[in-house]
Amino acid sequence: MSLDTAPPWEDVHNYVGGDWQEPSEEGQAIVNPATDEEVSYVGFSSEEDVDAAVKAGQEAFEQWSSTPVEDRIQPLFNFKQLLEEHQDELATILVKEHGKTMGEARGELRRGIENVEVACGIPTMMQGGHLPNAAPSIDETAVRKPLGVFTAITPFNFPGMIPLWFLPYAVATGNAFILKPSEQDPVVAQRMFELIDEAGFPDGVVQLINGSVDTVNTLLDHDGIQGASFVGSTPVAKTIYERAAANGKRVQAQGGAKNHVIVAESADLDFAAKKTVSSACACGGERCLANDVVVVDESIYDEFVDRVVEEAKSQTVGYGLDEGTDIGALITPEHESRVREMIESGIDQGAELLLDGRDIEVEGYENGNFLAPTVFGNVDTDMTIVREEIFGPVLGLLPVANIDEAIDVMNRSDFGNAASLFTSSGADARKVRHQADVGNLGVNAGTAAPMAFFHFGGRKDSFFGDLHAQGEDMIHFYTDKQIYIERWPDA
Ligand code: NAD
């Protein structure tokens, strides 16, 4: 069954056992962050709703786990094709409920589709190992087996991509999967599930459950769930990790971030300024890979500051569907107020306000949650804007004497999601590569986003668990390694 997603959208539905269902409990409105118009409504799922999905998943798992692997990947190939055919329609929905630009929405969907492509390689990726003559007359074999029903709880900032860090791998390995998307922008997930419905997965293999905190807790406490993936803020990631582990489940929980970019003396300053502003401000700064603490060698500090301010000034803030928009709207008025408070804290704590984006008005969208790029100079490591995640288009420049001091500043952070270095010195690059305490590191790359065939890193308060999202780590997370030991003494 297909729902009409042309505006005005119907309410968001659950997809359980191959059917669309209304979540049982009251939920919240979905509001376009640029226009302040209500675009949809999402109800929240009760314990009974969750239980029905888990049971449908368990039922589906019995057949699906023993379905030949070649047959398991056919619906994924269909899904990839459908995602590509509907990419612009999905991107439009995403812009309307999230606020980012059309280009960013298309890009995020492309990164999601890459994960579907990688998971189609499961016949090779899932193979185990075999060793003849492991001991006298004994051969040993390791196989990977799916485990049952998994869930993923995902954040608002990449509602089209992040579900695909998990879903394709979970089902390709033979598991059943339940997505609980962010309640702030769940419409794009619903449209993806309409495509899933077309792609030919057996009922119950892939399911969608909407809700908020209570729904998540019900999923984490349910005996029928084998494991949980989480992406979101650090305090919630910690809670999820502890609760799922206490319930004996596999768990991987990626949290928030505070990322640094180091600009060394030998860097190409024009290129570095362009990439630095884009890293900090793209998607309105609502990215876990945003590098917003800019650690600059003091010998080029003044020159670099000028270029960053010029680049930041050149950004066009507006509605994501309008041509020429570089930076869209922030997710909610509450989040916009929080970012404004962070800017206030920077001023109060003595940072130099070089560019103030607070007065922005976007003609025709007076009720939107807009902020223009805001640049601080001479920040230090005690300031809130340097220690805490801002999640808005705000960056701070911090002068240092040399590369060693830059590494020290970066590694003092509680977070370890990502960092970038701009340099033309191999020695700088090697030093940073060896010493950086971060999970994703870019050299002369502004945003260290790994391709789908590599895992998405993260350390310290940015990640709780051991196996990460994407790529080979997902195969390990979604399977159990069983050993066969065979002795045939007469052979
Ligand atoms: P969030 O933590 O508020 O919500 C994430 C998910 O958790 C949502 O589905 C929400 O319904 C659920 N949730 C919220 N509070 C909960 C609670 N108390 N108990 C159980 N479930 C709860 O995060 P967000 O605001 O949607 O997303 C932004 C955050 O995600 C940022 O901190 C960002 O850095 C982080 N993020 C991290 C990565 C990464 O790879 N490390 C990627 C993207 C986003």
Side-chain angles (χ1 to χ4, degrees):
M1 174 184 147
S2 213
L3 296 172
D4 175 19
T5 52
W9 291 305
E10 289 185 34
D11 294 352
V12 175
H13 286 55
N14 289 341
Y15 181 71
V16 175
D19 284 325
W20 294 103
Q21 296 176 359
E22 298 272 358
S24 298
E25 295 180 354
E26 274 185 29
Q28 66 183 50
I30 314 301
V31 177
N32 183 324
T35 64
D36 198 34
E37 285 162 359
E38 197 171 315
V39 292
S40 188
Y41 175 86
V42 62
F44 293 169
S45 302
S46 64
E47 282 184 24
E48 291 72 31
D49 296 340
V50 170
D51 190 53
V54 176
K55 290 213 168 89
Q58 286 174 315
E59 217 169 284
F61 175 73
E62 278 184 29
Q63 281 260 311
W64 184 246
S65 54
S66 54
T67 297
V69 67
E70 262 295 302
D71 294 344
R72 287 208 304 262
I73 59 175
Q74 297 313 315
L76 280 173
F77 280 114
N78 297 341
F79 184 40
K80 166 194 152 64
Q81 195 175 341
L82 287 163
L83 286 169
E84 282 174 343
E85 281 168 17
H86 293 270
Q87 193 169 347
D88 271 8
E89 178 198 341
L90 289 162
T92 306
I93 295 172
L94 212 160
V95 171
K96 287 185 177 173
E97 64 176 341
H98 175 281
K100 64 179 65 176
T101 69
M102 196 62 185
E104 290 166 347
R106 284 195 191 106
E108 114 162 56
L109 288 161
R110 182 61 230 151
R111 298 311 294 265
I113 293 167
E114 280 167 12
N115 280 279
V116 183
E117 292 167 351
V118 173
C120 287
I122 215 76
T124 310
M125 290 173 85
M126 204 177 157
Q127 288 177 17
H130 178 78
L131 185 63
N133 302 310
S137 301
I138 286 184
D139 301 335
E140 286 194 17
T141 308
V143 296
R144 294 194 168 280
K145 287 190 156 182
L147 287 157
V149 185
F150 280 82
T151 188
I153 298 128
T154 54
F156 83 83
N157 67 328
F158 283 93
M161 174 184 76
I162 291 181
L164 299 177
W165 281 1
F166 310 106
L167 185 161
Y169 304 100
V171 299
T173 46
N175 296 287
F177 178 81
I178 300 174
L179 174 68
K180 205 301 284 173
S182 168
E183 62 275 39
Q184 303 198 70
D185 46 13
V187 186
V188 71
Q190 165 164 302
R191 184 67 189 116
M192 279 185 176
F193 270 75
E194 290 175 32
L195 303 180
I196 278 170
D197 192 54
E198 270 185 57
F201 293 97
D203 293 347
V205 168
V206 203
Q207 301 183 90
L208 175 66
I209 278 287
N210 286 285
S212 185
V213 179
D214 292 345
T215 309
V216 172
N217 288 338
T218 306
L219 282 162
L220 296 178
D221 292 346
H222 200 296
D223 286 347
I225 297 278
Q226 296 298 319
S229 303
F230 173 83
V231 184
S233 57
T234 291
V236 183
K238 244 183 197 163
T239 312
I240 301 272
Y241 183 70
E242 288 165 3
R243 190 162 185 147
N247 287 331
K249 301 188 193 313
R250 288 190 174 197
V251 56
Q252 48 175 201
Q254 10 249 318
K258 190 71 192 171
N259 306 311
H260 295 65
V261 52
I262 299 174
V263 183
E265 192 179 4
S266 63
D268 173 339
L269 297 190
D270 282 333
F271 180 71
K274 220 174 170 40
K275 293 290 178 193
T276 294
V277 171
S278 147
S279 174
C281 300
C283 300
E286 293 170 329
R287 289 203 295 185
C288 70
L289 291 179
N291 290 325
D292 59 359
V293 183
V294 189
V295 186
V296 189
D297 191 288
E298 62 193 11
S299 64
I300 43 122
Y301 180 79
D302 290 339
E303 209 183 328
F304 189 65
V305 164
D306 290 345
R307 293 178 201 216
V308 165
V309 171
E310 276 319 299
E311 179 63 24
K313 272 187 191 161
S314 75
Q315 302 296 301
T316 303
V317 179
Y319 187 21
L321 287 184
D322 289 346
E323 198 102 346
T325 299
D326 296 311
I327 299 177
L330 297 177
I331 186 76
T332 56
E334 294 73 31
H335 183 59
E336 184 197 329
S337 300
R338 198 189 153 268
V339 178
R340 286 179 183 272
E341 279 165 25
M342 290 295 269
I343 296 173
E344 288 293 333
S345 84
I347 296 166
D348 293 348
Q349 292 170 20
E352 183 188 359
L353 187 59
L354 299 168
L355 182 67
D356 187 349
R358 290 174 296 173
D359 285 339
I360 180 81
E361 281 202 4
V362 180
E363 213 186 310
Y365 304 105
E366 285 73 16
N367 296 326
N369 317 320
F370 294 107
L371 265 181
T374 297
V375 180
F376 282 108
N378 286 315
V379 301
D380 70 47
T381 51
D382 291 332
M383 293 177 181
T384 311
I385 52 167
V386 173
R387 285 186 290 107
E388 292 182 15
E389 186 170 45
I390 302 173
F391 237 49
V394 181
L395 61 97
L397 294 130
L398 189 156
V400 288
N402 52 43
I403 195 83
D404 294 311
E405 191 186 342
I407 294 169
D408 179 55
V409 165
M410 172 176 66
N411 284 346
R412 265 192 271 154
S413 172
D414 290 339
F415 297 94
N417 210 40
S420 290
L421 165 70
F422 288 98
T423 187
S424 50
S425 152
D428 283 353
R430 185 168 190 271
K431 196 175 247 192
V432 173
R433 185 173 167 177
H434 281 251
Q435 295 181 23
D437 201 358
V438 298
N440 306 288
L441 177 63
V443 175
N444 297 321
T447 306
M451 298 293 285
F453 25 84
F454 284 100
H455 71 268
F456 189 102
R459 287 188 194 167
K460 302 189 335 198
D461 279 357
S462 298
F463 183 71
F464 305 94
D466 43 15
L467 296 168
H468 294 76
Q470 294 200 145
E472 199 183 338
D473 269 24
M474 287 277 57
I475 314 305
H476 293 267
F477 186 73
Y478 285 130
T479 56
D480 184 49
K481 285 179 282 183
Q482 190 178 46
I483 292 286
Y484 292 134
I485 302 165
E486 290 183 70
R487 176 193 281 132
W488 298 103
D490 301 334

